[in-house]
Amino acid sequence: SVLHDKAFDKGWITFDSNYQLKISNFLLKSENDFVKQSILAYNDKKIEDIAKFLPKIEYLEWHQQNIFIG
């Protein structure tokens, strides 16, 4: 969704090496209930296992280290 794409770009969410969604503390402290509830429902959920569409682990690691707001 556009919301999740924007949250990823802003560093509010990321994916770990198991392709599970992780939510930043910044977002958890947010006062925007719509955004929080729309994303919290997916915390620790895994990306569908469609191998040809999965991002490379090194890209996710780069995102975790450079973009994600822990």
Side-chain angles (χ1 to χ4, degrees), residues 10-34:
K10 289 188 171 276
W12 296 346
I13 63 173
T14 196
F15 294 90
D16 66 14
S17 58
N18 294 315
Y19 297 103
Q20 289 181 297
L21 181 77
K22 298 299 175 190
I23 299 175
S24 74
N25 289 329
F26 174 82
L27 183 61
L28 293 173
K29 294 176 186 175
S30 170
E31 294 183 20
N32 188 326
D33 289 332
F34 172 75

Side-chain angles (χ1 to χ4, degrees), residues 31-59:
E31 294 183 20
N32 188 326
D33 289 332
F34 172 75
V35 172
K36 278 178 33 177
Q37 295 306 315
S38 298
I39 294 175
L40 280 175
Y42 297 100
N43 193 32
D44 290 326
K45 299 282 183 185
K46 188 173 181 177
I47 295 176
E48 292 295 319
D49 214 2
I50 303 172
K52 73 177 191 177
F53 296 112
L54 288 175
K56 293 184 176 184
I57 293 293
E58 53 267 20
Y59 297 156

